[in-house]
Amino acid sequence: MWGAPMIAIIARRLFSALVVVFCVFTISFLIMRSAPGSPFDADKALPAAVVANQAVVTGMAEPISGAHTGMVSEVRVEKNDSVRAGQVLWVLEIHGESVPINAEEDFEVFRVVAKPGDRLAAGQAALYRKTGFFRQYITSLLSYAHFDFGTTFDSQGQRTVLENIKETLPVSAELGCYALFIALLVGVTAGMFAGWKHNTILDHTVMSFSMLGISIPSIVLGPVLIFVFIIWLQWLPAHGGWESGLWTGWGQKILPSLTLGLAYAGVFARLTRGGMLDVVRQDFIRTARAKGLSNGTIIWRHAFRGAIVPSVTFLGPAVAHLLVGSVVVETVFNVPGISKYFVESALNRDYPMVMGVVVLYSTLLVLFNLLVDFAYAFLDPRVILD
Amino acid sequence: MAGLTLVVLMAVLGYGEPLIERYVTHFSYEEQHPEFALQPPGTQDISRDYSSFDGEGSHFDALDRNGDGFIGGDRELRDLYWIDRFFMFLFDDYDGVLPLIPSASAPKAVLKPIVAADNRISFDEFPVGFRHLNAQFSAEFFDHSADRFALAVQQDTSRLEGLVEERFRALGLRRADVFSRIDRDDDKNLTQDEVNEYRRCFRPFEKGAEAVATMDVDGDGRIARHEFLGAPELHTFFLGTDHLGRDVLTRLVYGARLSITIALLATAVSFFIGVTWGAIAGYYGGRVDNIMMRTVDVMYGLPFLFIVVLLMVVFGRSTINLFIALGAVQWLTMSRVVRGQIITLKEREFVEAAEVMGVSRMRIVFRHLLPNTVGPVIVYSTLMVPAIILEEAFLSFLGLGVQPPHASWGLMITEGVQVMETAGWLLLYPSIFLGLTLFSMNMVGDGIRDALDPQLERD
């Protein structure tokens, strides 16, 4: 199984994962850039040069400069003008002689930084043009290929996307891990017993609760948990807790993890129960019983491996949903995770940050799906990866 | 079975919303009662949009202030307006919390700090004259009354004060009199309900001449005794009010309509795309199938909620965009299900027969193959409806879904979360509605799956 063909399979899978990430990048780029409004709309207070500089850094604008040094006597274009090739952009005065500077091709003016009376050195930008859509796309794609995710608009270029992600991703990942742990522990255990004690009170109770877990959304469960444990029973700290947006101590971590985990516990319980029902009817379980093995040994040593196969299949989508679902939980509990960049940045048209988060999410998603496929093959040797 | 009943009930509630608004709750979903903001279930007020009258003729005498058998005329209407305004300030702003303007003639007892805001007015707290009322009211009333007197009187402040005080009493707002009339249960305390009960016949006159027009049948600008419909009836906020004083029950029912509509439309969108996509891929097979299904695989890799968020942010947060966005990301599984079905079906004899008879390919797909995939498609669609309701709630929670003043369950939960410490019912009822609906829809979906799929064991 782990020979040369396996390496080829892995390589092929990784390649298709890359294709998926590429598609995600392209689609989100398209959606973002076709949005009305620009991130620079609100920056009225900032000088044109600062805004232009940011735009250049993010590949949205390019400087236009002349080849000569001289005094600017006149500027003939304004912000957002459409310029045709050959049109006069500005006029330089060199040793008492007026030299018009012409546009080399058609473009749209982004910002004008030169004013009449300014001294302009050769190669110094007098104005900035908007970069074409396709050009922007290629530029950002190339920088992504070099693992350069750019700087955020919201911080005015002070912070890189990577810094923001590094700061918040561990928090989200921790939350996700706890939630997954709770979901698996509760769900798989409950499902195993429900399947073992098929059609008993225990079974029906577990199934009803799991359906409830699936049906109650986290936007309901979260606030209800806050109400019960923090406001009503006061078992957990309120101040310095969920209101402060901190992420320290189990007092703050337990409720978000529970909220996120319990919904998936329901799904895992149903899946495990289904798997268990298939397994317990099989001959090797009857053999184990006939040998006089204890119930515990049969359940955990023999049936377990078969019973969790459906759950493992669901792990991939579950991890993905945990990632996305955590947006709501992080909002409810005010957890300082990555989700704050999810909506806020999109609303602020902070393109680099949004792209960074989207690409990160989809990469994780694809990787987890890949891992799950391999785990699946490992658990059930009959499965052939293609 | 109970699940199905509940789903049907929700749908009926949702789609009967205009009728429910009109005949059951009597409040419209966007009608605001600011003075009743965040009141618990059971609070009563007069509905503005759906007012009804109790037909009690005895109120007529209280309103016909000059006893001429008609309600109308400038002076009478103005008097009624000020009486209504007095009651508004009396309870909504009074109760000793607001600063009183001291007056020389006032007995000291009234001015001493009055008992804490217990939402009741005792006889001691009840104002002796207009000067002991809320500062805004007394200033308004003073200015209004002063205009009525001759200029010479207006310059004599102390005389003017006396005249205004007299007018205040003439409006029938004498202390002991009014107090005993309002205090129906004789416990020497006025409660909100008692004030409302007494106040309601004056309420229409806050609109002045407009109030006359609604009852004035013969068009003479006055209400005669036989035209009088009685005082407006009080209606109960069965599930309390929200932060703008809107009726929670009405909004929940309205939210049911919106949520179910969005879910159904989004399901329809994804149904349409998914079925077509899956059917074509499955029937044509080969390279077409390969390309189409690879596309689906790639789209599975997209963080779909993220894409919806992006779509909502980019293309504006309207309800139409909402269901298109939700539907556009939900068709993937549907197309896989349909494709699988079609692939097994297309080897069957009836398809061969159709091909031999020269039926066009499109006709084979849509007339012969698709009707046979109905079972699984229905199952999947029923399970998709709750999923979409859930996502709509998520989006509304993040502020990207349904926008105020429209009501959706997700939005109401968001509003409830902000005030859950003081007004728990705002979180409780929307949560129950949403949770129960999703629960029963999932149950129904499961039930249909079990019923339609005989191979599946019925555990």
Side-chain angles (χ1 to χ4, degrees):
Chain A
M1 179 185 172
W2 295 100
M6 197 61 199
I7 290 166
I9 288 169
I10 293 177
R12 200 159 68 221
R13 279 308 188 79
L14 280 177
F15 177 73
S16 68
L18 208 63
V19 170
V20 170
V21 174
F22 169 76
C23 290
V24 171
F25 179 86
T26 310
I27 291 174
S28 357
F29 193 90
L30 273 171
I31 296 179
M32 269 328 268
R33 296 300 154 105
S34 55
S38 129
F40 304 110
D41 283 348
D43 289 342
K44 294 272 185 316
L46 290 173
V50 176
V51 174
N53 210 10
Q54 278 176 41
V56 171
V57 169
T58 49
M60 290 180 67
E62 286 166 64
I64 305 268
S65 56
H68 308 284
T69 306
M71 187 85 84
V72 179
S73 62
E74 197 184 342
V75 179
R76 297 240 181 116
V77 287
E78 273 180 27
K79 179 174 150 184
N80 294 336
D81 278 359
S82 291
V83 174
R84 295 252 180 78
Q87 191 179 335
V88 177
L89 297 174
W90 71 90
V91 182
L92 273 188
E93 204 167 280
I94 307 168
H95 308 303
E97 197 181 328
S98 284
V99 182
I101 309 289
N102 303 74
E104 282 167 16
E105 49 185 345
D106 294 357
F107 62 83
E108 256 185 87
V109 179
F110 178 68
R111 289 287 191 282
V112 180
V113 287
K115 289 186 296 293
D118 284 357
R119 230 189 94 78
L120 206 64
Q124 188 188 341
L127 51 87
Y128 291 84
R129 57 172 285 187
K130 288 180 183 165
T131 316
F133 182 83
F134 189 66
R135 194 106 167 251
Q136 281 183 36
Y137 173 68
I138 297 292
T139 319
S140 10
L141 197 61
L142 281 179
S143 57
Y144 263 78
H146 292 102
F147 296 102
D148 171 15
F149 304 103
T151 57
T152 67
F153 288 163
D154 281 352
S155 65
Q156 266 130 43
Q158 297 301 304
R159 289 177 64 85
T160 64
V161 173
L162 215 54
E163 275 171 359
N164 276 349
I165 290 181
K166 262 184 196 157
E167 198 177 280
T168 50
L169 186 63
V171 174
S172 293
E174 200 184 333
L175 172 62
C177 287
Y178 293 147
L180 193 63
F181 177 73
I182 292 173
L184 283 175
L185 187 75
V186 176
V188 171
T189 316
M192 292 287 288
F193 282 113
W196 185 249
K197 300 270 178 200
H198 181 214
N199 265 343
T200 59
I201 297 270
L202 180 88
D203 182 23
H204 296 309
T205 319
V206 167
M207 281 306 101
S208 305
F209 271 99
S210 78
M211 194 45 135
L212 216 57
I214 293 168
S215 301
I216 294 180
S218 49
I219 57 170
V220 171
L221 189 61
V224 167
L225 286 181
I226 292 179
F227 187 78
V228 171
F229 290 104
I230 297 178
I231 295 170
W232 187 30
L233 297 173
Q234 301 195 337
W235 287 357
L236 296 168
H239 298 284
W242 64 282
E243 282 172 345
S244 65
L246 289 175
W247 183 249
T248 45
W250 65 272
Q252 278 122 53
K253 294 178 184 177
I254 189 155
L255 287 189
S257 313
L258 267 180
T259 310
L260 197 52
L262 284 181
Y264 291 96
V267 183
F268 281 123
R270 289 170 74 83
L271 288 170
T272 313
R273 174 175 172 274
M276 191 71 179
L277 286 181
D278 286 344
V279 170
V280 290
R281 298 208 181 97
Q282 284 177 22
D283 294 341
F284 71 95
I285 298 292
R286 198 183 306 148
T287 315
R289 271 209 190 122
K291 283 199 296 190
L293 293 178
S294 72
N295 276 347
T297 319
I298 298 174
I299 294 179
W300 297 114
R301 291 286 295 279
H302 294 79
F304 182 72
R305 198 169 141 152
I308 61 163
V309 167
S311 302
V312 173
T313 331
F314 180 66
L315 259 183
V319 169
H321 285 138
L322 280 175
L323 284 173
V324 179
S326 66
V327 172
V328 172
V329 174
E330 283 178 19
T331 314
V332 172
F333 289 95
N334 208 358
V335 174
I338 199 163
S339 73
K340 68 176 166 187
Y341 297 119
F342 188 86
V343 179
E344 212 178 278
S345 302
L347 284 175
N348 294 346
R349 303 275 188 276
D350 189 345
Y351 298 145
M353 194 66 228
V354 174
M355 294 301 294
V357 181
V358 174
V359 170
L360 177 79
Y361 265 78
S362 50
T363 311
L364 287 176
L365 194 75
V366 170
L367 281 182
F368 278 115
N369 275 331
L370 212 60
L371 279 179
V372 165
D373 279 355
F374 287 118
Y376 194 38
F378 176 73
L379 274 176
D380 188 347
R382 286 168 304 180
V383 172
I384 297 160
L385 291 167
D386 63 344
Chain B
M1 208 52 230
L4 189 63
T5 320
L6 213 129
V7 170
V8 171
L9 183 75
M10 279 296 164
V12 169
L13 273 182
Y15 285 101
E17 193 266 344
L19 291 176
I20 289 178
E21 201 172 277
R22 186 87 183 74
Y23 296 109
V24 181
T25 63
H26 299 286
F27 295 103
S28 75
Y29 75 96
E30 49 186 2
E31 179 179 337
Q32 299 179 1
H33 298 256
E35 69 271 26
F36 287 97
L38 296 179
Q39 291 300 310
T43 312
Q44 290 189 320
D45 194 18
I46 291 162
S47 168
R48 204 167 303 123
D49 291 0
Y50 300 113
S51 46
S52 58
F53 300 92
D54 61 1
E56 189 70 51
S58 58
H59 297 300
F60 189 82
D61 298 318
L63 294 171
D64 182 18
R65 302 192 46 76
N66 51 14
D68 62 354
F70 291 103
I71 303 171
D74 251 7
R75 194 184 173 123
E76 202 162 74
L77 286 182
R78 214 171 314 136
D79 282 357
L80 292 171
Y81 171 81
W82 280 103
I83 294 173
D84 174 59
R85 207 154 171 75
F86 166 76
F87 286 122
M88 190 181 120
F89 276 107
L90 175 63
F91 214 97
D92 300 337
D93 285 345
Y94 190 59
D95 197 34
V97 202
L98 283 150
L100 304 175
I101 295 181
S103 159
S105 58
K108 288 233 154 63
V110 180
L111 286 179
K112 73 178 183 205
I114 305 170
V115 276
D118 55 356
N119 244 2
R120 297 194 309 179
I121 299 177
S122 69
F123 190 68
D124 284 343
E125 291 168 327
F126 199 71
V128 187
F130 78 96
R131 278 295 186 198
H132 299 123
L133 266 168
N134 166 282
Q136 193 193 338
F137 176 80
S138 56
E140 270 179 30
F141 185 72
F142 190 85
D143 290 350
H144 162 75
S145 304
D147 283 347
R148 302 158 63 96
F149 302 112
L151 209 65
V153 179
Q154 285 188 27
Q155 275 150 3
D156 182 354
T157 322
S158 66
R159 196 169 151 219
L160 185 64
E161 183 100 3
L163 283 170
V164 172
E165 186 70 46
E166 207 172 284
R167 176 165 147 72
F168 183 70
R169 288 173 192 227
L171 285 178
L173 304 175
R174 199 171 291 122
R175 192 182 186 201
D177 223 18
V178 178
F179 193 89
S180 60
R181 258 185 285 151
I182 300 178
D183 188 19
R184 283 151 62 100
D185 58 0
D186 249 340
D187 65 348
K188 303 295 168 221
N189 272 310
L190 305 187
T191 63
Q192 176 94 58
D193 287 344
E194 280 169 353
V195 174
N196 279 341
E197 177 61 33
Y198 186 76
R199 184 188 167 191
R200 68 194 170 102
C201 64
F202 299 100
R203 271 290 288 280
F205 296 94
E206 70 184 28
K207 292 184 203 155
E210 212 181 295
V212 174
T214 50
M215 289 194 222
D216 182 22
V217 183
D218 54 14
D220 62 351
R222 307 182 293 182
I223 303 171
R225 190 175 283 274
H226 66 273
E227 289 171 338
F228 185 66
L229 295 174
E233 283 177 311
L234 291 173
H235 296 297
T236 313
F237 297 106
F238 291 107
L239 298 181
T241 60
D242 69 1
H243 65 288
L244 291 174
R246 294 175 295 195
D247 183 37
V248 171
L249 180 61
T250 312
R251 288 178 72 72
L252 276 176
V253 174
Y254 181 86
R257 179 163 73 158
L258 203 63
S259 295
I260 294 174
T261 307
I262 288 175
L264 288 181
L265 287 176
T267 307
V269 169
S270 68
F271 179 88
F272 184 74
I273 305 178
V275 167
T276 315
W277 194 274
I280 292 175
Y283 182 70
Y284 284 86
R287 187 173 291 166
V288 178
D289 181 33
N290 213 343
I291 292 173
M292 289 177 91
M293 282 299 124
R294 280 286 152 231
T295 317
V296 171
D297 286 347
V298 167
M299 292 187 73
Y300 257 110
L302 297 175
F304 72 93
L305 196 61
F306 209 119
I307 299 294
V308 175
V309 169
L310 272 187
L311 284 173
M312 292 307 292
V313 168
V314 167
F315 294 110
R317 292 169 238 174
S318 75
T319 310
I320 293 176
N321 284 346
L322 181 63
F323 76 75
I324 293 179
L326 282 173
V329 295
Q330 285 285 349
W331 57 270
L332 300 172
T333 313
M334 180 74 90
S335 71
R336 279 192 176 175
V337 170
V338 172
R339 174 178 169 269
Q341 289 286 312
I342 297 277
I343 283 179
T344 53
L345 282 172
K346 75 173 179 186
E347 308 298 333
R348 302 268 285 273
E349 290 82 356
F350 70 92
V351 179
E352 260 172 57
E355 274 167 359
V356 168
M357 285 167 72
V359 180
S360 77
R361 289 177 135 195
M362 276 296 152
R363 204 176 152 79
I364 292 178
V365 172
F366 289 99
R367 286 299 297 278
H368 298 271
L369 286 173
L370 276 184
N372 286 296
T373 63
V374 155
V377 167
I378 284 183
V379 170
Y380 189 68
S381 301
T382 29
L383 287 172
M384 195 145 77
V385 173
I388 288 175
I389 290 184
L390 186 67
E391 275 154 27
E392 182 269 320
F394 276 164
L395 285 173
S396 296
F397 187 82
L398 295 175
L400 295 169
V402 175
Q403 298 295 306
H406 296 289
S408 94
W409 291 338
L411 201 63
M412 295 181 73
I413 291 174
T414 320
E415 289 167 359
V417 169
Q418 288 155 5
V419 291
M420 67 179 164
E421 284 169 68
T422 50
W425 61 89
L426 273 184
L427 173 63
L428 183 70
Y429 296 118
S431 302
I432 291 178
F433 265 62
L434 179 61
L436 263 185
T437 308
L438 292 179
F439 183 69
S440 27
M441 280 187 171
N442 280 327
M443 286 299 231
V444 170
D446 267 14
I448 294 179
R449 181 172 58 196
D450 292 350
L452 284 183
D453 192 354
Q455 291 141 337
L456 205 80
E457 265 175 273
R458 303 195 61 178
D459 305 310

